[in-house]
Amino acid sequence: MIPRGKSNPSLASKPNTLSSFKTWIQGIGFTFIIALLGYELAKVPGLNRIGQLACAIIIAVIYRQIWGYPEKIRSGIQFSSKRLLRLAIILFGLKLNMDVVVHQGLGLLVHSVITITFSIVLTLLIAKWLNADFSLSLLLGIGTGVCGAAAIAAVSPILKAKEEDTAIGAGIIALVGTLFAIFYTVLRPFIHLTNIQYGIWSGLSLHEIAHVALAAAPAGQDALAVGLLAKLGRVLLLVPLSFILMYWMKRTRKLGADTKIEFPLFLIGFIGMSLFGSYVIGEHVTIPKSIMNIVSNVTTYTLTMAMVGLGLNVNIKDLRTKALGPLIAMFITSILLSLLTFLTI
């Protein structure tokens, strides 16, 4: 029997638990709705060039500037920006065919190492010259060298980057990468490259897999295949790069003496899904192409929801002063990377 005047803690906690669960669901649903709006907006002629990821981030940023951050449903939004982000990276591993990269793309893998090193180092050097923000510049350098927004999302937890920087970086990469991909398609008829060489150029220099597909597809299936192969080599290098960054963070003590870096378990999932997709699906397990297309769409949509959560952290006032320098550094690096890969093919 409960003494008079005292409440039962277990009964009192149930409404609070139920309320917390509701706000958590509402937060996730909120990111889902904005991601859906981004998906629909990306169907509009012109905006279809930048894709649903960038469209969703833009909507989230605009929402934040007009109505502020929805504090009541923060828990659900943070779940999307952190947990769903890791899930998207794991599922992204299915896009990496390790067998093809290892057996047919070792030469391109060497070029991929050069691409990543060049992109990161040059972006940081230019950023230093411009006195630009180091953290955002590093994220943009990694995104330029590896695989765009997915790479930025993967390394952000390791680098302890601010969610605002992650969202800004992902948005910039999506927009600039799309501009470059469109420019490649316009330029293609006027340059003296075979379709295969053009595909390799696209795969070694463009920012995201979608950008490579956009640029290489007009040159034919062979160009598209070799372009994606070159790009997958860069995606594969995301794993060793992540461990290098972990070592660098510990070595330079960027986190303080008592702070530890959590092991990025989602990278193990990324590798596991890559192995599963490369050596199990099609060999031992048959999955219809329609199902794989659904999984691919879910991956993209999950990443979009995560980016919505990150985009809500962006303060446009800070963006004007913080992002200009890193954007310039990344843009110059992208131009020089295109020239370098063009001349070395």
Side-chain angles (χ1 to χ4, degrees):
M1 182 176 292
I2 302 172
R4 184 177 297 179
K6 293 186 178 181
S7 60
N8 189 331
S10 62
L11 293 177
S13 64
K14 286 182 179 180
N16 291 333
T17 302
L18 182 59
S19 177
S20 298
F21 179 73
K22 284 183 178 179
T23 56
W24 179 72
I25 290 295
Q26 288 170 355
I28 297 174
F30 184 79
T31 60
F32 178 87
I33 291 172
I34 294 186
L36 182 60
L37 291 175
Y39 175 79
E40 294 299 327
L41 189 62
K43 295 179 181 179
V44 176
L47 293 176
N48 60 336
R49 293 291 187 178
I50 67 173
Q52 68 185 73
L53 186 69
C55 287
I57 290 176
I58 292 171
I59 294 172
V61 171
I62 292 174
Y63 182 95
R64 165 68 188 269
Q65 311 320 305
I66 297 176
W67 292 287
Y69 191 96
E71 289 290 344
K72 291 183 178 180
I73 53 175
R74 175 180 286 272
S75 60
I77 294 173
Q78 288 187 332
F79 178 86
S80 291
S81 65
K82 295 179 180 179
R83 302 299 180 185
L84 289 186
L85 180 60
R86 286 159 174 76
L87 174 61
I89 298 301
I90 292 171
L91 293 175
F92 190 77
L94 285 173
K95 296 179 181 289
L96 176 61
N97 191 321
M98 285 190 171
D99 189 56
V100 174
V101 173
V102 172
H103 289 91
Q104 300 181 33
L106 290 180
L108 294 175
L109 203 60
V110 175
H111 282 85
S112 297
V113 173
I114 297 173
T115 292
I116 293 172
T117 305
F118 177 85
S119 299
I120 296 174
V121 172
L122 185 59
T123 301
L124 290 178
L125 286 175
I126 298 174
K128 184 177 181 180
W129 179 61
L130 295 172
N131 291 320
D133 182 80
F134 175 83
S135 176
L136 182 54
S137 299
L138 177 57
L139 290 177
L140 288 174
I142 293 170
T144 301
V146 187
C147 53
I152 290 176
V155 302
S156 290
I158 298 171
L159 297 174
K160 299 296 181 182
K162 296 178 181 178
E163 291 188 348
E164 179 185 37
D165 289 348
T166 304
I168 293 172
I172 289 175
I173 282 286
L175 291 168
V176 174
T178 301
L179 292 176
F180 269 74
I182 295 171
F183 178 72
Y184 274 36
T185 58
V186 174
L187 189 64
R188 185 179 66 85
F190 305 100
I191 56 178
H192 300 289
L193 291 179
T194 66
N195 288 340
I196 296 297
Q197 288 174 325
Y198 173 76
I200 293 174
W201 181 43
S202 301
L204 288 177
S205 58
L206 288 175
H207 304 74
E208 298 189 3
I209 291 178
H211 298 148
V212 175
L214 174 62
Q221 288 299 314
D222 291 341
L224 178 59
V226 74
L228 292 176
L229 175 62
K231 184 62 182 176
L232 290 177
R234 294 162 65 187
V235 176
L236 176 63
L237 293 173
L238 173 62
V239 177
L241 174 64
S242 297
F243 286 107
I244 291 172
L245 291 174
M246 288 179 64
Y247 174 79
W248 173 71
M249 289 289 285
K250 290 181 178 179
R251 186 77 175 178
T252 55
R253 297 180 179 177
K254 295 286 184 181
L255 305 176
D258 299 327
T259 308
K260 294 182 179 180
I261 301 176
E262 294 181 10
F263 183 82
L265 292 175
F266 61 91
L267 287 180
I268 301 299
F270 174 84
I271 296 173
M273 292 302 283
S274 299
L275 293 172
F276 181 75
S278 302
Y279 302 114
V280 178
I281 297 178
E283 295 290 335
H284 305 286
V285 177
T286 301
I287 300 179
K289 187 176 181 180
S290 59
I291 299 298
M292 293 305 297
N293 288 336
I294 291 174
V295 173
S296 179
N297 291 333
V298 168
T299 301
T300 302
Y301 201 89
T302 303
L303 183 60
T304 305
M305 288 176 63
M307 288 302 156
V308 168
L310 296 174
L312 289 169
N313 290 289
V314 176
N315 189 324
I316 206 71
K317 294 179 181 178
D318 296 334
L319 177 61
R320 286 182 295 182
T321 57
K322 186 177 185 179
L324 182 59
L327 170 60
I328 293 173
M330 174 256 184
F331 196 82
I332 294 174
T333 298
S334 297
I335 293 174
L336 295 178
L337 176 62
S338 292
L339 290 174
L340 176 67
T341 50
F342 179 83
L343 294 173
T344 54
I345 293 174

